[in-house]
Amino acid sequence: MLRLTEVKLPLDHPEDEIKTAILKKLQITDEELIGYSIFKRSYDARKKGEIALVYILDVETTQETHLLKRLKKDPHVMVTPDMSYRPVAKAPSNLAIRPIVIGTGPCGLFAGLMLAQMGFRPIILERGKKVRDRTADTFGFWKKKSDFNPESNAQFGEGGAGTFSDGKLYSQVKDPQHYGRKVLTELVNAGASPEILYINKPHIGTFKLVGIVQSMRAKIESLGGEIRFESRVEDINIENGQVRGVTLASGEYIASEYVVLAVGHSARDTFQMLYERGVYIEPKPFSIGFRVEHPQTLIDQCRFGPQAGHKLLGAADYKLVHHCQNGRSVYSFCMCPGGLVVAAASEPGRLVTNGMSQYSRNERNANSAIVVGITPEDYPGNALAGIDFQRRLEEQAFKLGGGTYEAPGQLVGDFLKDRSSTAFGTVKPSYTPGVHLCDLSQSLPDYAIAAIREALPAFDKQIKGFAMDDAVLTGVETRTSSPIRIKRKEDYQSLNTVGLYPAGEGAGYAGGILSAGIDGIKVAEAVALSILRNCDRK
Ligand code: FAD
């Protein structure tokens, strides 16, 4: 099979133009073309009004050998790489050992699925509820119908942090072994649209994710895995540097010398417990800031001009960065086109914002986090000092919002002029339970406020209207990534605790759904190989 890259066609091209483009590019006849498939479709929107679709195509032809010779200097023609996934191990049928996976976020789910597919019958422990019950709790809280539940919310419960999200499925991690393809393929097997396999920057959307998570659970169980909900791991038994098992909040003890720790970045109590048990943890940089909301039409117009609204383009996104005079960098993060700002706290009396969208991305506002990078020098202390720092900001945001889980908010115009907001303008914020207008400059350290005040007008030069007076800021964003790293060795085990496999976002080894899933696969492979090696030795 041949892979053709950079095949550019107009946005509204008829379908058979793809075939024509292949014949022209390879200079072959219709009869010599056996078939083709679209590997990737993206767009080039640099010229407004002339947006082009850009394809990567996999082509089957009777002329492959000849073409490879003739076009060997053409960087856009190559042999299609083999991206299929092959399991690295197979558990013996009489294996008594069962690995434990803590957490059912994308990392834990993929680690569990891979272990189950290889025959290792994992026991998966999740502190929160099954996804349907969790959805009722979380949406109930957002709609002011039920109280905040610290064990069942936007961060905790089946599916992990990204369940109520835009479901963006792209990542900048290096992936030479194509694990990302395996993640996407399993998501399609679990019910995601096959388009996620070929669209550049695919997304799933909240309601579809819920069904996918349930389907992955059923698959793991059908392969002999076990998933236990409302089973918070409260302690870990380590003897002479070797994990022996875990204790649940119920008091139950489960023995295993293989424990995958995929608890996400919000498991602060679990981090504290691991720290007290002597597991090596170090602080790491993360970011803090606000969510900003604009009319989606403003972003669409700016990015797509007259072609805004085209069905193949969907709601436009953006990615912005500004390096400030005070040495800080401000960037947009987790942009949700046509989405909602959501309450993403996991502790009572603390407030955190984040964003989500449905598959259709058809809400009126675009939102993204506008965040400032910070480093451990900004929060000196022990390995968990970043968590204390996050907590202080989240408590302050809760107070500024009026102490009712309403988010503190301010209009961009007022924020730039350093005055409190008193009324909303044309942009109505989407955050529920509600937004309490105030002066957000009290919610973050001065250096962060100064940096965001400098960045917004700079972003306005790239997206006209970005600093519009009526755009709404809500605070605070503190969970852009984990404030710690639970360092591991090359074999994926903790630096000082044998049998403990820190994984995913909470351990500092992933950021986002796709990379967390990829890390889950890698760690599952490491666990499987280690079990087999240790069995051989005995
Ligand atoms: P998590 O998903 O955080 O999962 C950890 C799991 O462990 C949780 O289910 C938790 O309940 C459980 N747990 C924690 N402690 C314990 C314990 N002691 N015992 C048992 N269980 C425990 N990323 C994207 O790529 N695209 C997006 O569009 C996107 N949008 C997002 C929107 C929102 C609202 C949020 C909150 C996040 C979003 N993210 C998005 C980020 C993404 O969700 C995370 O990067 C990803 O979920 C991390 O995966 P993980 O498996 O490492 O951890």
Side-chain angles (χ1 to χ4, degrees):
M1 185 112 68
L2 290 182
R3 178 157 288 179
L4 266 56
T5 62
E6 285 288 315
V7 179
K8 262 193 194 181
L9 291 171
L11 186 56
D12 278 313
H13 71 82
E15 207 185 319
D16 62 3
E17 253 191 57
I18 299 182
K19 188 170 157 190
T20 312
I22 294 170
L23 300 182
K24 190 170 161 211
K25 169 79 191 171
L26 297 179
Q27 291 175 18
I28 56 174
T29 64
D30 213 342
E31 291 71 40
E32 288 166 342
L33 177 68
I34 301 168
Y36 75 90
S37 59
I38 299 171
F39 175 71
K40 195 103 303 124
R41 187 190 74 209
S42 54
Y43 57 77
D44 178 350
R46 281 174 296 183
K47 282 192 198 154
K48 302 277 166 328
E50 282 178 54
I51 297 176
L53 294 177
V54 185
Y55 291 97
I56 300 177
L57 303 167
D58 285 332
V59 177
E60 252 189 293
T61 161
T62 56
Q63 300 302 300
E64 183 167 325
T65 319
H66 164 67
L67 285 168
L68 279 172
K69 225 185 254 168
R70 178 158 63 78
L71 298 169
K72 67 171 183 254
K73 289 199 176 137
D74 188 330
H76 300 301
V77 181
M78 64 202 75
V79 176
T80 300
D82 180 3
M83 298 175 83
S84 49
Y85 179 80
R86 289 175 193 85
V88 296
K90 171 121 191 60
S93 55
N94 58 351
L95 186 73
I97 296 168
R98 295 186 74 179
I100 290 174
V101 176
I102 312 176
T104 62
C107 180
L109 270 181
F110 274 92
L113 180 66
M114 292 306 111
L115 285 165
Q117 287 181 349
M118 290 186 282
F120 288 88
R121 300 184 308 120
I123 299 170
I124 306 176
L125 302 169
E126 167 57 55
R127 70 192 295 161
K129 298 182 185 176
K130 284 187 180 173
V131 69
R132 290 278 165 203
D133 299 332
R134 175 188 179 201
T135 306
D137 290 338
T138 309
F139 281 67
F141 166 59
W142 290 348
K143 291 180 179 159
K144 290 190 184 174
K145 288 187 180 151
S146 50
D147 290 339
F148 171 70
N149 182 338
E151 293 296 323
S152 184
N153 48 55
Q155 307 287 351
F156 293 159
E158 186 179 19
T163 307
F164 313 123
S165 80
D166 180 50
K168 283 177 281 295
L169 293 175
Y170 33 96
S171 144
Q172 286 167 352
V173 291
K174 287 198 186 105
D175 184 24
Q177 286 172 291
H178 312 297
Y179 289 113
R181 192 77 183 164
K182 171 72 172 164
V183 172
L184 296 180
T185 305
E186 289 296 347
L187 290 172
V188 171
N189 292 342
S193 162
E195 75 175 22
I196 66 169
L197 288 169
Y198 67 86
I199 284 187
N200 194 34
K201 297 194 184 173
H203 76 286
I204 293 186
T206 288
F207 285 127
K208 290 199 179 196
L209 273 164
V210 168
I212 289 167
V213 165
Q214 284 180 309
S215 166
M216 286 183 72
R217 183 209 315 157
K219 183 76 189 277
I220 292 170
E221 287 172 341
S222 74
L223 293 167
E226 188 184 331
I227 306 188
R228 295 171 59 177
F229 296 96
E230 298 179 69
S231 299
R232 190 179 70 242
V233 171
E234 215 165 61
D235 205 354
I236 187 158
N237 179 13
I238 303 168
E239 287 171 11
N240 302 323
Q242 163 73 57
V243 166
R244 299 282 180 208
V246 300
T247 306
L248 305 185
S250 61
E252 184 186 352
Y253 182 74
I254 307 174
S256 176
E257 295 188 353
Y258 304 88
V259 176
V260 176
L261 185 76
V263 293
H265 58 30
S266 293
R268 294 166 172 175
D269 49 358
T270 314
F271 296 148
Q272 180 71 39
M273 175 273 287
L274 293 165
Y275 183 67
E276 285 165 13
R277 292 280 168 259
V279 173
Y280 182 82
I281 299 178
E282 60 185 29
K284 80 172 237 325
F286 60 102
S287 301
I288 53 172
F290 305 128
R291 277 273 142 183
V292 67
E293 282 187 276
H294 298 92
Q296 180 63 46
T297 47
L298 182 140
I299 310 297
D300 290 346
Q301 276 303 325
C302 178
R303 297 273 283 115
F304 299 149
Q307 285 160 307
H310 193 286
K311 69 175 188 321
L312 286 186
L313 299 174
D317 65 0
Y318 57 79
K319 197 163 187 232
L320 301 163
V321 61
H322 176 70
H323 302 291
C324 300
Q325 281 171 6
N326 68 3
R328 304 277 168 176
S329 289
V330 178
Y331 59 99
S332 62
F333 174 78
C334 187
M335 198 267 153
C336 296
L340 303 171
V341 179
V342 296
S346 57
E347 292 176 322
R350 301 195 171 107
L351 203 136
V352 186
T353 50
N354 210 308
M356 73 165 216
S357 318
Q358 298 302 346
Y359 174 72
S360 56
R361 288 180 165 171
N362 63 2
E363 297 290 341
R364 61 180 186 270
N365 290 347
N367 75 69
S368 75
I370 298 297
V371 291
V372 184
I374 58 171
T375 68
E377 283 166 25
D378 294 309
Y379 44 87
N382 70 14
L384 305 185
I387 295 176
D388 296 335
F389 184 79
Q390 286 176 316
R391 279 183 165 148
R392 283 197 297 277
L393 297 183
E394 293 167 13
E395 277 160 23
Q396 174 69 355
F398 183 75
K399 275 192 213 136
L400 281 171
T404 59
Y405 292 102
E406 289 201 353
Q410 191 172 14
L411 271 52
V412 163
D414 293 329
F415 175 73
L416 292 176
K417 290 183 193 110
D418 196 9
R419 64 181 185 212
S420 282
S421 292
T422 50
F424 294 110
T426 49
V427 180
K428 303 287 175 237
S430 59
Y431 177 99
T432 55
V435 176
H436 181 81
L437 285 172
C438 64
D439 174 7
L440 277 179
S441 66
Q442 299 163 40
S443 65
L444 295 179
D446 290 347
Y447 60 77
I449 296 295
I452 296 173
R453 281 207 175 113
E454 183 182 318
L456 290 171
F459 292 159
D460 195 83
K461 293 196 177 118
Q462 295 173 58
I463 296 181
K464 195 89 211 97
F466 202 86
M468 67 188 277
D469 284 349
D470 286 358
V472 179
L473 296 168
T474 42
V476 288
E477 287 275 338
T478 48
R479 314 249 183 126
T480 51
S481 68
S482 188
I484 60 158
R485 176 164 290 122
I486 308 178
K487 242 184 149 176
R488 62 193 188 195
K489 295 182 288 183
E490 264 183 19
D491 63 4
Y492 294 90
Q493 299 187 59
S494 146
L495 214 54
N496 66 350
T497 311
V498 178
L500 182 68
Y501 292 79
E505 181 147 25
Y509 287 99
I513 297 169
L514 187 63
S515 63
I518 290 174
D519 203 51
I521 297 178
K522 289 182 184 171
V523 166
E525 290 183 345
V527 170
L529 291 173
S530 174
I531 293 176
L532 293 187
R533 256 196 316 272
N534 291 339
C535 286
D536 280 350
R537 278 193 205 123
K538 282 179 188 163

